[in-house]
Amino acid sequence: MGKDVIIACDFDGKEEVLKFLDKFTGRKPFVKIGMELYYSAGPEIVKEIKARGHKIFLDLKLHDIPNTVKKSMAVLSKLDVDMCNLHAAGTVAMMEAAIEGLTRPDGTRPLLIAVTQLTSTSEERMKEDLLIEKPIDEVIMHYASRAKVAGLDGVVCSPLEASKVKDVCGKEFLTVTPGVRFADGDVGDQVRIATPARAKEIGSDYIVVGRPITQAEDPVAAYERCVNEFVD
Ligand code: C5P
């Protein structure tokens, strides 16, 4: 499994995302399609981007009863995406059902990654709103290990948590890490951040980079800079 840079294509609609991807005439980046774009442009946008030669991380964070998740994952698998995700909070039974649904008749399937706790959820919110009393780091590592038990491939986490996840779940368990910023770039609303080079040192397998590339004056150069720091 090679390390790679995934561009978070957080655009409102089809035209914007395709215009953005038109800039990449050489290497075709791995792209992340989130709820916003998927709900506005539908499965067609996934097929179109795939047909252009990009790998796709479909970030829809499924969380429902096992049977519904299984059937929904079967639909996503037919879209031929390369990576998709769900909430580990759905329990091991839901995660196992998701894998069943994702697995194609020939035994192949997209990578399946778990969200542990959203970065927008603080320890205080977890206690008061979710009645989870344990320290947030312990909760995240527990959810990661349950994802591993269910047979998932990895988790989404901060680059700063990547080495701890590997300690708990093993070296092969993938860490997909947003919260990446260049040393000389805008931090924006991200808090627990690392540069691509630092994310590589800590052990991320995939970095998810949005605005530092999509809002750059030269997005292709910003992407190449990420690749140079993180992959090469
Ligand atoms: O623009 P930026 O580099 O901050 O984009 C990061 C991407 O990763 C966004 O699509 C954001 O929704 C996503 N993400 C995140 N933190 C998480 C999970 C996903 O920033 N914990």
Side-chain angles (χ1 to χ4, degrees), residues 91-136:
T91 77
V92 168
M94 187 201 81
M95 293 190 271
E96 286 174 346
I99 289 185
E100 253 182 74
L102 266 189
T103 307
R104 305 181 184 108
D106 65 0
T108 63
R109 64 167 173 81
L111 291 171
L112 185 59
I113 305 296
V115 174
T116 55
Q117 285 291 333
L118 293 169
T119 42
S120 51
T121 306
S122 65
E123 193 162 293
E124 191 189 5
R125 287 299 104 215
M126 239 178 36
K127 270 196 190 112
E128 287 185 15
D129 296 349
L130 308 179
L131 278 184
I132 300 173
E133 297 284 343
K134 304 259 185 193
I136 193 160

Side-chain angles (χ1 to χ4, degrees), residues 11 71 151 164 207 232:
F11 296 99
K71 289 182 169 170
K164 182 117 191 260
I207 52 173
D232 299 337

Side-chain angles (χ1 to χ4, degrees), residues 10-209:
D10 295 324
F11 296 99
D12 295 341
K14 186 174 165 173
E15 282 74 39
E16 289 94 322
V17 71
L18 293 180
K19 198 169 140 215
F20 171 76
L21 293 176
D22 280 343
K23 298 181 202 290
F24 295 83
T25 50
R27 180 177 175 143
K28 300 280 182 190
F30 200 138
V31 301
K32 178 171 90 70
I33 297 177
M35 291 183 202
E36 203 181 330
L37 183 59
Y38 188 76
Y39 293 149
S40 71
E44 288 313 312
I45 192 67
V46 175
K47 290 182 193 157
E48 173 134 15
I49 294 175
K50 189 78 197 176
R52 287 170 167 230
H54 297 270
K55 284 190 172 174
I56 296 178
F57 170 19
L58 191 54
D59 179 16
L60 298 181
K61 300 187 182 72
L62 277 69
H63 188 175
D64 209 314
I65 60 170
N67 186 52
T68 301
V69 169
K70 178 177 163 180
K71 289 182 169 170
S72 307
M73 285 293 184
V75 174
L76 300 187
S77 189
K78 286 201 193 92
L79 278 180
D80 201 21
V81 297
D82 299 278
M83 185 186 287
C84 46
N85 61 359
L86 47 63
H87 277 281
T91 77
V92 168
M94 187 201 81
M95 293 190 271
E96 286 174 346
I99 289 185
E100 253 182 74
L102 266 189
T103 307
R104 305 181 184 108
D106 65 0
T108 63
R109 64 167 173 81
L111 291 171
L112 185 59
I113 305 296
V115 174
T116 55
Q117 285 291 333
L118 293 169
T119 42
S120 51
T121 306
S122 65
E123 193 162 293
E124 191 189 5
R125 287 299 104 215
M126 239 178 36
K127 270 196 190 112
E128 287 185 15
D129 296 349
L130 308 179
L131 278 184
I132 300 173
E133 297 284 343
K134 304 259 185 193
I136 193 160
D137 284 359
E138 199 178 323
V139 174
I140 289 172
M141 294 309 149
H142 179 67
Y143 281 30
S145 60
R146 297 314 284 163
K148 166 114 199 240
V149 164
L152 268 70
D153 302 295
V155 287
V156 181
C157 62
S158 150
L160 306 176
E161 288 156 4
S163 68
K164 182 117 191 260
V165 168
K166 300 264 181 195
D167 288 347
V168 172
C169 298
K171 246 186 18 251
E172 303 304 312
F173 198 64
L174 301 175
T175 54
V176 179
T177 66
V180 173
R181 291 295 180 263
F182 292 122
D184 53 1
D186 260 356
V187 170
D189 53 0
Q190 292 283 13
V191 180
R192 308 195 63 214
I193 54 167
T195 62
R198 182 76 188 120
K200 179 181 182 178
E201 278 169 21
I202 305 174
S204 293
D205 296 288
Y206 295 90
I207 52 173
V208 177
V209 189

